[in-house]
Amino acid sequence: MTAAVTGRAAAPRERTYRILLIEDDLGDALLVEELLHDTGLRFELVTRTTLAGARAELAGTPIDCILLDLHLPDVSGTDAVTTVRAMAPHTAVIVLTGLAEAQAGPDAMAAGAQDYLVKGKVEADLLHRTVRYAVYRSETERASSEAQAARLRAEENARLERGLLPQPILDTSTVRVTSRYLPGASLALLGGDFLDVVEGDGGLLHAVVGDVSGHGPDAAALGVCLRIAWRSLVLGGHRGDDLLHLMERILLAERGGQQMFATCTLLTLDQNAGTATLHLAGHHEPLITTPGGTRELEAAHGIALGIFPGPHRWPATVVPLPATGALTLYTDGLTEGHSGAANERLGVEGLLDLIDALPSEDPAVQVDLLIKETHELNAGRHSDDLAVLRLDWGSPPAHL
């Protein structure tokens, strides 16, 4: 039975309460409906005679308040309260008790009900206040719970982000490092993108950008693990194929039963020799910026880590570098968004067009403008994480 009514004293703009009455006594149900008419509340009333019938209703349209009889054909007592709270944890519950059940109301509140009313002693004003207060209290508790969850999520993300976006280890290198990491999901849930830069022996600068499949804490935790493993292994002298084999072994051990994999680009920049050595494991090529513009490098590819575990080769590509320039390593969150009003993806070509149109500024400003432009073109239609690492060497522009 469903009734959509307006109480006689309802204010013109008062909210409409959607109320579910779970009551198997049709006489008591009629009395409750008449009392609701007298409260002056705007309400929509749905009546169900069993908890099983109420379950289907709670699975559909959201309910503001549940009026619950404690003696139903399929459940009774505080079990009714705990069951209803489990089905609708953020909905106000008001228990209806009998005159002879002095302890039933307090017990129901201890089990999770917002309030209780004694049948036969309920007046319209009391019901009005009880419904409004119970709904307000329930909504306040829900807002507090969501705020606490957001705080915990922010703290978790901050810890993970510190692991995904570390401070570079630079001793004597004059290379300027610019890095950015942005989660793509609406609730700022981190993904598995990671990056790092360390200076090794002989002035060699080593860098990595990687992307663990999936989103959320598991992907982020694996990304942090791989990033820390990469740093430790590089500082321990591992390079190229050897380094990637060890990273894959660590990935397989840490991912457990989840079939996650990771792509990454390894880069070793040798300023003395004027070269950069690349190893691509399922990742796309970096961009190189020279006085003549920006283009995508051509490099040999190897398989992503963890897709088909086993002995693999990740071929090295050695790239000559100009005296002044920049290399940009990034994850696909920068290119997989849309390119504007159409449904086409931005892609590398679109990314290069954006870079060519950017003003010649400080590298950090250029990276920030590039991310801003890609987000504006995408207009919220794609939500992948992105990591960007730019390495600049040589003399900076004269105006800086």
Side-chain angles (χ1 to χ4, degrees), residues 89-391:
H90 300 299
T91 301
V93 177
I94 301 172
V95 164
L96 304 176
T97 70
L99 290 170
E101 300 175 299
Q103 190 57 37
D107 288 346
M109 292 187 66
Q114 267 70 37
D115 212 332
Y116 70 96
L117 295 169
V118 180
K119 293 179 181 179
K121 299 181 66 174
V122 182
E123 296 180 351
D125 287 345
L126 176 59
L127 182 57
H128 179 281
R129 292 194 302 271
T130 303
V131 169
R132 294 190 65 175
Y133 175 72
V135 171
Y136 171 77
R137 180 182 171 189
S138 177
E139 291 176 344
T140 301
E141 290 173 351
R142 179 175 185 173
S144 177
S145 176
E146 290 176 347
Q148 176 66 9
R151 285 193 294 271
L152 293 174
R153 185 167 53 245
E155 292 172 2
E156 175 83 359
N157 281 354
R159 288 193 295 270
L160 289 171
E161 191 167 350
R162 285 194 295 271
L164 293 166
L165 186 60
Q167 287 296 317
I169 297 179
L170 301 176
D171 297 321
T172 61
S173 176
T174 59
V175 174
R176 300 183 301 281
V177 177
T178 303
S179 61
R180 297 290 185 269
Y181 181 95
L182 292 177
S186 59
L187 294 179
L189 197 64
L190 290 173
D193 293 5
F194 60 95
L195 55 85
D196 202 355
V197 179
V198 299
E199 184 177 352
D201 296 335
L204 298 178
L205 199 67
H206 305 282
V208 63
V209 164
D211 183 358
V212 176
S213 60
H215 300 279
D218 290 337
L222 185 54
V224 172
C225 177
L226 291 176
R227 200 277 304 165
I228 294 173
W230 175 86
R231 176 176 281 201
S232 301
L233 291 169
V234 165
L235 292 177
H238 296 277
R239 303 288 184 266
D241 268 359
D242 175 45
L243 173 56
L244 288 166
H245 278 298
L246 291 172
M247 289 180 66
E248 184 172 61
R249 288 183 62 185
I250 292 169
L251 182 150
L252 296 175
E254 294 295 330
R255 73 181 182 184
Q258 302 186 70
Q259 295 303 307
M260 291 189 289
F261 63 91
T263 68
C264 65
T265 292
L266 307 186
L267 168 71
T268 298
L269 193 154
D270 186 343
Q271 279 189 277
N272 293 329
T275 61
T277 302
L278 298 170
H279 290 83
L280 305 182
H283 211 78
H284 45 71
E285 296 90 339
L287 306 179
I288 185 166
T289 300
T290 69
T294 300
R295 60 181 174 84
E296 187 177 41
L297 286 173
E298 293 183 4
H301 286 260
I303 193 170
L305 306 180
I307 290 186
F308 297 111
H312 299 294
R313 296 290 298 173
W314 288 276
T317 300
V318 179
V319 180
L321 300 178
T324 299
L327 283 167
T328 302
L329 288 69
Y330 61 94
T331 58
D332 53 16
L334 197 62
T335 55
E336 286 196 348
H338 291 80
S339 60
N343 289 324
E344 295 181 359
R345 300 293 183 182
L346 180 65
V348 177
E349 292 300 323
L351 184 66
L352 292 173
D353 290 341
L354 288 180
I355 293 173
D356 288 341
L358 290 176
S360 179
E361 297 282 354
D362 177 85
V365 174
Q366 285 188 329
V367 171
D368 289 336
L369 286 174
L370 183 60
I371 294 173
K372 178 176 179 290
E373 291 282 346
T374 58
H375 280 188
E376 289 179 353
L377 285 173
N378 192 34
R381 290 171 292 174
H382 186 67
S383 57
D384 199 2
D385 311 282
L386 69 86
V388 181
L389 176 63
R390 173 167 164 158
L391 307 175

